[in-house]
Amino acid sequence: MTFLNYVMKEVRMPTIVFLDTLPAQNGLDILYSQSKVQIKKISSTDSEEKNFSILKKADAYQVGAARDEVPKYLQVDKDFLKKVPNLLIVSSSGAGYDTVDVGACTEAGVLVVNQTGGNAEGVAEHAVAMILNLFKRIGEADHALRRGWNESRVNLMGKDLLNKTVGIIGLGNTGGRVAEICKLAFNCEILAYDPYLTDELFEKKYAKKSSLDNLLELSDVVTVHVPLNNETRNMINMDFF
């Protein structure tokens, strides 16, 4: 064996492992088209033994953000990190990172990143759709009709979103887009609570800066767009309502 062959054999190609799917197919196409990094897929339905035979060689791990979609043993905690000695970085799909113990990763020297903003438009549109569904009682009317409705239609009359006050908790990529839609399309007054934004950013995002108590008291509808962490856990409780 020549020295060059020996060196080439010893140098291990970096490996990215992703669970089930990547949020964007074009990203996967780009990764598969290059030759400098190995791309490996693991599946939630495969055995723990099989998955860790691949994960133990991973330099990077892409995991879903929803706890109910990721088997517990594939969620990144202290036990997981002990089994993946080469891991340098964990990436969570979307803005959330519920499946990743950031403290454990920090302690292990593993970087954590999320994909904030990647699906902001879809989530924002969905949130506005749910607000409209609530105001117009679309779901309620659909269920009533399917059961057999024989009352006056005015008993299921909805309300207009026009000129209402919308409270937004978390004015980031998604919350900011919800504010824009509600302000420009429905002339809503936007009250927003986000302790991490400057006053200038509130104005740019069509929102008035508000305390949480004031927002809850004055809003016709409240939409929440914050990550789950130690600061926000149990924010929605009886005191909130």
Side-chain angles (χ1 to χ4, degrees), residues 153-165:
R153 65 188 179 92
V154 298
N155 290 351
L156 282 173
M157 185 177 293
K159 300 177 181 179
D160 292 336
L161 181 57
L162 186 70
N163 298 326
K164 294 297 191 296
T165 300

Side-chain angles (χ1 to χ4, degrees), residues 122-142:
V123 177
E125 289 185 15
H126 189 84
V128 174
M130 294 297 287
I131 292 172
L132 287 169
N133 178 64
L134 175 68
F135 271 74
K136 298 302 181 182
R137 303 175 71 178
I138 296 170
E140 188 180 352
D142 177 72

Side-chain angles (χ1 to χ4, degrees), residues 128-201:
V128 174
M130 294 297 287
I131 292 172
L132 287 169
N133 178 64
L134 175 68
F135 271 74
K136 298 302 181 182
R137 303 175 71 178
I138 296 170
E140 188 180 352
D142 177 72
H143 284 242
L145 286 170
R146 291 175 188 277
R147 288 194 303 266
W149 180 257
N150 56 7
E151 299 178 31
S152 170
R153 65 188 179 92
V154 298
N155 290 351
L156 282 173
M157 185 177 293
K159 300 177 181 179
D160 292 336
L161 181 57
L162 186 70
N163 298 326
K164 294 297 191 296
T165 300
V166 176
I168 301 177
I169 300 174
L171 198 65
N173 292 294
T174 302
R177 179 64 176 134
V178 171
E180 182 180 30
I181 295 170
C182 290
K183 179 64 178 178
L184 299 183
F186 300 98
N187 195 40
C188 293
E189 180 179 13
I190 310 298
L191 300 179
Y193 171 74
D194 194 322
Y196 296 101
L197 294 187
T198 63
D199 292 348
E200 291 77 16
L201 280 175

Side-chain angles (χ1 to χ4, degrees), residues 17-21 42-46 51-52 55 61-77 80 90-94 96-101:
V17 175
F18 69 94
L19 175 62
D20 293 331
T21 185
I42 60 174
S43 174
S44 297
T45 58
D46 285 340
N51 283 335
F52 272 108
L55 279 166
Y61 176 42
Q62 169 72 35
V63 63
R67 286 172 295 174
D68 59 337
E69 296 176 358
V70 178
K72 184 66 175 69
Y73 78 90
L74 291 174
Q75 297 181 25
V76 183
D77 55 17
F80 178 93
V90 174
S91 172
S92 172
S93 302
Y97 44 90
D98 298 5
T99 56
V100 180
D101 183 335

